[in-house]
Amino acid sequence: MTAGSPAVERAARTRIEPTVLQAFRSPRLLTREVLAGLVVAIALIPEAIAFSIIAGVDPRVGLFSSFVMAVVISFTGGRPAMITAATGAVALVLAPIAREHGVDYLIATVLLAGVIQIVLAVLGVARLMRFIPRSVMVGFVNALAILIFISQVPQLVGVPWAVYPIVVAGLAILLFWPRLTRAVPAPLVAIVLLTGAVVVLGIAVPTVGDQGALPESLPALLLPSVPFTWATIQLIAPYALAVAVVGLLESLMTAKLVDDITETRSAKTREAWGQGVANIASGLFGGMGGCAMIGQTMINVKASGARTRISTFLAGVFLLILVVALGDVVAVIPMAALVAVMILVSVATFDWHSIRPSTLRRMPIGETAVMVVTVVFTVWTHNLAIGVVVGVIAAMVIFARRVAHFTTVTRSLDGDIARYDVVGALFFASSNDLTTQFEYAIDPPHVVIDLSRSHVWDASTVAALDAIVTKYRQHGVAVELTGMNDATTAFHGRLTEGVGGGH
């Protein structure tokens, strides 16, 4: 590589994230990672309890799952500083199996989901991330911000009036503390100060302890008490596949988001199988499984500035210590303090640039439509995976329609020869009406179709070309296809007649 080459410029633009060893050698970096892990652990507790309730299981199931997955993914994951734990999306998928068949079948489902994720990773599912357009990614981020904010609304409705000034005070601390110092994360300062104020002043507001009982013992290794039969596999397989797909999609999308924020790269395939290993470990300790937690990841990466696996590992360790050894202390943390943190995270996560009038004027309407569709379906279903899938489908349809209009067919006459110049990409969307652009009845005895400025991409186009040739033959006209590049010639030669069937 030479100086000034694109490769060198890309390397210069890509930041080198600190390694675990570098963090241990730097008191400043290590302190930041440790405190970030503590903040995330505190924020994980009410979330894990809430997701356990959604899944219909004991709060300890969600808490133990979050502890195990955070610790395991810190070693196996491909995206440093990303937080994996029990999540709402996975809880919604698992709720029916837990409700109808019990916790043991839920655990068996989590174990099978982990195996499926490892298989999908080996098959290269992570490479599919390249097919997610930027407009879908922007919609994903904006929908995520909206869902984080919406999830805090129940903590602000029907509560004592004192909750509101506590939330305002928390937001003020989060906004102004970083101007004083970044050595201690602002979320931790807000949680500690507001908890101290609530305890000292005796303010009666909802606390973490009100969300559910905290465990008093360590998780134990176990196997689900279910019959290991084909019937069991048939029962849990649909749920396991859904958990695997939803978990991978959310995790890989979150990894890509963190890549953009930190301007670094992650190992997506490693992240995929790492999620599988983490889910298997969660199931073996009686957990409910999960995937990357977007809100907590944003707290870790954006609010606290963490960049290494240390913060992820310590988030799990601190979570266990807090709920088992310091449960009484954690129980008095006001939910209003955590609400303030999550509100600021939602505001910081939203891509405000995407909705500026100047941006909307410059952006093609199709791109904006895809972003809006992604946001609407994600917020409507409260499922980021569904929103992303619908957004990708919308982007594919809009792209196909746009490219289809770029194909033109021009006719010219040269004595007793009719010449057709076909320009553009030929695939199912652009070739469906290709047969209607030829003058079969009035053309002279010889027709030349020039494909030198086009490319055949699929079997639909080969079938269309075969149909054109067949129609001309029915009129006694000889057709010559010219100008095909090597790839088109090979593809057309392999499929011609076979796909058109002479029709």
Side-chain angles (χ1 to χ4, degrees):
M1 292 186 297
T2 60
S5 68
V8 171
E9 291 176 2
R10 285 195 300 270
R13 287 197 301 267
T14 302
R15 294 181 181 176
I16 305 299
E17 58 189 12
T19 64
V20 171
L21 186 58
Q22 288 172 334
F24 275 117
R25 290 174 175 173
S26 169
R28 180 180 61 83
L29 291 179
L30 184 59
T31 300
R32 185 178 67 187
E33 298 293 318
V34 171
L35 295 178
L38 179 58
V39 172
V40 171
I42 294 173
L44 275 174
I45 295 172
E47 296 278 339
I49 295 173
F51 298 148
S52 298
I53 295 172
I54 291 174
V57 296
D58 189 284
R60 287 172 293 185
V61 174
L63 290 167
F64 286 160
S65 183
S66 297
F67 154 66
V68 172
M69 295 196 74
V71 170
V72 171
I73 205 68
S74 68
F75 292 98
T76 63
R79 174 63 261 177
M82 192 165 77
I83 304 299
T84 289
T87 59
V90 171
L92 287 171
V93 175
L94 291 172
I97 194 81
R99 181 175 59 251
E100 298 171 13
H101 301 281
V103 176
D104 284 311
Y105 278 87
L106 177 146
I107 295 172
T109 302
V110 171
L111 291 171
L112 181 57
V115 173
I116 293 173
Q117 286 180 326
I118 294 175
V119 172
L120 291 175
V122 172
L123 294 176
V125 68
R127 289 194 291 270
L128 296 177
M129 286 299 296
R130 71 184 67 176
F131 296 106
I132 297 180
R134 182 186 179 279
S135 53
V136 174
M137 190 66 193
V138 173
F140 168 82
V141 170
N142 290 346
L144 156 66
I146 294 171
L147 287 178
I148 291 175
F149 183 83
I150 291 175
S151 67
Q152 307 310 307
V153 173
Q155 301 294 338
L156 298 173
V157 177
V159 294
W161 68 268
V163 166
Y164 304 110
I166 292 175
V167 170
V168 173
L171 290 172
I173 294 172
L174 292 168
L175 289 172
F176 292 106
W177 180 261
R179 299 183 181 182
L180 299 177
T181 178
R182 292 184 179 272
V184 181
L188 180 60
V189 175
I191 292 170
V192 171
L193 291 180
L194 294 177
T195 300
V198 166
V199 172
V200 171
L201 299 177
I203 303 174
V205 292
T207 63
V208 170
D210 297 331
Q211 306 304 304
L214 300 178
E216 299 177 354
S217 61
L218 297 174
L221 191 65
L222 57 86
L223 288 174
S225 181
V226 299
F228 292 92
T229 63
W230 179 244
T232 300
I233 297 295
Q234 288 181 307
L235 174 64
I236 67 175
Y239 299 99
L241 180 61
V243 169
V245 172
V246 168
L248 281 182
L249 185 55
E250 291 209 21
S251 298
L252 294 176
M253 289 289 287
T254 305
K256 190 175 187 303
L257 176 60
V258 178
D259 289 353
D260 293 340
I261 292 172
T262 61
E263 297 182 12
T264 58
R265 295 178 181 176
S266 58
K268 302 298 192 301
T269 298
R270 177 177 174 178
E271 182 62 39
W273 67 256
Q275 290 288 329
V277 173
N279 271 301
I280 291 174
S282 174
L284 290 176
F285 281 93
M288 58 180 279
C291 60
M293 292 197 75
I294 305 165
Q296 273 64 23
T297 297
M298 291 299 99
I299 292 176
N300 198 44
V301 175
K302 293 198 74 171
S304 301
R307 290 295 182 270
T308 75
R309 300 174 186 274
I310 296 174
S311 60
T312 306
F313 174 79
L314 290 180
V317 173
F318 282 140
L319 174 62
L320 186 65
I321 294 173
L322 289 171
V323 299
V324 175
L326 301 174
D328 292 340
V329 175
V330 172
V332 301
I333 295 175
M335 287 300 298
L338 299 179
V339 169
V341 173
M342 297 307 290
I343 288 177
L344 193 67
V345 166
S346 69
V347 172
T349 301
F350 196 91
D351 186 352
W352 297 101
H353 179 267
S354 66
I355 60 172
R356 289 178 182 170
S358 58
T359 303
L360 295 176
R361 283 194 300 268
R362 294 195 306 268
M363 193 67 63
I365 190 169
E367 299 288 325
T368 302
V370 169
M371 186 265 286
V372 172
V373 166
T374 304
V375 171
V376 169
F377 273 86
T378 301
V379 174
W380 180 30
T381 62
H382 280 238
N383 190 317
L384 290 161
I386 292 177
V388 169
V389 170
V390 174
V392 170
I393 293 173
M396 290 170 59
V397 172
I398 291 174
F399 174 77
R401 287 177 57 86
R402 184 185 303 162
V403 175
H405 294 149
F406 290 158
T407 302
T408 60
V409 178
T410 305
R411 178 178 181 268
S412 61
L413 289 175
D414 183 11
D416 60 350
I417 298 176
R419 184 180 187 87
Y420 288 87
D421 291 310
V422 182
V423 179
L426 296 175
F427 64 110
F428 63 91
S430 59
S431 62
N432 278 341
D433 62 347
L434 189 64
T435 57
T436 65
Q437 302 188 51
F438 292 83
E439 304 290 347
Y440 305 101
I442 65 174
D443 273 339
H446 189 72
V447 170
V448 176
I449 301 177
D450 186 357
L451 300 170
S452 58
R453 291 191 290 171
S454 62
H455 187 96
V456 174
W457 287 105
D458 62 2
S460 296
T461 303
V462 175
L465 292 174
D466 283 352
I468 293 168
V469 172
T470 299
K471 288 187 178 183
Y472 271 121
R473 285 175 180 171
Q474 292 171 352
H475 286 82
V477 176
V479 179
E480 179 184 359
L481 300 177
T482 65
M484 290 190 291
N485 56 41
D486 293 340
T488 296
T489 300
F491 189 73
H492 180 267
R494 187 169 68 251
L495 297 181
T496 187
E497 300 295 341
V499 293
H503 300 295

